[in-house]
Amino acid sequence: MSQPAEASGAGSVDSSSTPSTPFQFEVIDRDNATKARLGRMRTAHGVVETPVFMPVGTAGTVKAVSQEQLEGLDARIVLGNTYHLYLRPGEDVIGSMGGLHRFMAWDRAILTDSGGYQVYSMAGLRKLTEEAVEFQSHLDGSRHRFTPERAVEIQWLLGSDISMVLDECTGYPAGEVMARQSMERTLRWARRSRDAFDRLRAKEHGAAPGTLFGIVQGGTHADLRAECAQALVETGFDGYAVGGVSVGEARPLSLAMVEAAEAHLPPDRPRYVMGVGFPEELPRYVALGVDMMDCVLPTRNGRNGYLFTSCGRLRIRQARFAADSRPVDESCGCFVCQRYSRAYLRHLFISGEMLGRTLNTYHNLFFYLDTMRRIRETIAAGGFASFLSEFVHRVQGEVP
């Protein structure tokens, strides 16, 4: 089943806390029935086995859990956000502390989103021009300006292992004319981001603190997705993301847009779908050849008492769990399910106790990361296609 490894180097990476090491990605195995693949991504802050789900740590923290707990979950990479970290505490503060890794006491890999999605979501507070995006802070109303070059510079100062280009996230619905205009601006910004990153790398004599990914846009138009992917590959990036696929469109359409982009992306570079998804969607994207995903669902839903299990979704606030002595998920190996009852977790949630948010979030993250571990194992063992159909059927819907 195994096939020859494909590897890509993306220049040097440097960090104040670890020795310089090249960014590399290699495909080490493939599924025979789908496009699923098993990979290994090497960064300056450790090796990341793919396919991987990245917990979202927007402001330098994965909400409700500590770095020690993330390490206990064996999270190898987390996501931070340039927009939020720029506004508070600021890239200069973080840079003076030795970079985001040292600032948040996290010595594993970090990917930072450029802030394009956050700016997109503030429709009434931002203005797009060819040169930049101008926006008002959601914190105090102050005015700010991101150019593609500035977004790259901020991520450079943060010391990200993986930086993202500044893109224009195409909203839904968007007609073909509007989607094309947005996609073409994303391509122009991507080239400017690439040039800015290369200038910073040259200034440091080739020692870069990370690597740069391009982002495929194009709305819900498959031809635009394909065109954008091809143009990004011509520009040349160390990895490729598909953005704008979780902005209100139906999930089958999201999958179709990822498939349209993937067909034109190089097989020796990592592929990242941004902002997805529900548990049943994870193996579906993997089946399309996706290597990386992130989403706020496990943490946000955990804080709101919405738990993911091997038998479906469970809303812990429901009265039927008030005297339920069973764990959240009887087949789950996390410490929450090994120790605490549904009744106790419901009590914590109804009482507004902070511990409830932490335990719920930890369980959800364990479920997501354990799902990805099982996906990797089944790809290696040749049973991914069977896992896909069985898992998707089992986890959809509510716990009976």
Side-chain angles (χ1 to χ4, degrees), residues 29-51:
D29 211 341
R30 295 179 181 276
D31 178 59
N32 290 328
T34 71
K35 292 183 178 180
R37 59 208 210 146
L38 193 65
R40 184 176 294 121
M41 187 165 60
R42 299 182 186 276
T43 78
H45 291 89
V47 174
V48 179
E49 306 291 343
T50 65

Side-chain angles (χ1 to χ4, degrees), residues 17-75:
S17 58
T18 62
S20 177
T21 185
F23 176 90
Q24 293 182 332
F25 175 74
E26 59 179 339
V27 176
I28 59 178
D29 211 341
R30 295 179 181 276
D31 178 59
N32 290 328
T34 71
K35 292 183 178 180
R37 59 208 210 146
L38 193 65
R40 184 176 294 121
M41 187 165 60
R42 299 182 186 276
T43 78
H45 291 89
V47 174
V48 179
E49 306 291 343
T50 65
V52 64
F53 178 86
M54 300 179 288
V56 176
T58 300
T61 172
V62 177
K63 288 182 174 60
V65 296
S66 69
Q67 277 75 321
E68 290 83 358
Q69 289 173 315
L70 288 171
E71 290 165 354
L73 288 164
D74 198 27

Side-chain angles (χ1 to χ4, degrees), residues 3-18:
Q3 298 186 17
E6 298 165 339
S8 68
S12 298
V13 188
D14 185 64
S15 167
S16 57
S17 58
T18 62

Side-chain angles (χ1 to χ4, degrees), residues 83 86-87 133-137 140-146:
Y83 166 84
Y86 159 79
L87 289 179
V133 57
E134 299 172 1
F135 59 92
Q136 286 182 265
S137 166
D140 59 13
S142 57
R143 295 187 176 276
H144 303 269
R145 187 171 183 266
F146 271 11

Side-chain angles (χ1 to χ4, degrees), residues 177-297:
V177 172
M178 181 180 295
R180 171 169 288 282
Q181 291 173 345
S182 176
M183 181 271 286
E184 290 179 347
R185 177 179 283 143
T186 286
L187 286 175
R188 291 191 293 271
W189 283 5
R191 296 181 189 110
R192 289 169 57 186
S193 297
R194 174 81 268 177
D195 290 344
F197 190 87
D198 289 344
R199 286 194 297 270
L200 288 167
R201 176 177 282 167
K203 185 178 179 181
E204 297 297 325
H205 307 291
T211 195
L212 185 68
F213 281 23
I215 303 177
V216 177
Q217 291 288 352
T220 53
H221 304 275
D223 57 337
L224 295 182
R225 292 283 182 175
E227 182 179 339
C228 188
Q230 291 171 328
L232 287 172
V233 173
E234 290 175 5
T235 300
F237 290 93
D238 309 312
Y240 297 88
V242 180
V245 292
S246 189
V247 292
E249 77 282 5
R251 284 300 184 260
L253 195 51
S254 302
L255 292 164
M257 293 305 101
V258 171
E259 188 171 21
E262 183 276 335
H264 300 278
L265 296 177
D268 63 342
R269 303 296 171 98
R271 303 159 182 165
Y272 164 32
V273 177
M274 308 176 77
V276 297
F278 281 99
E280 64 270 20
E281 295 169 341
L282 303 182
R284 286 173 171 164
Y285 284 110
V286 169
L288 296 178
V290 171
D291 306 298
M292 305 164 66
M293 290 169 275
D294 79 278
C295 192
V296 299
L297 279 173

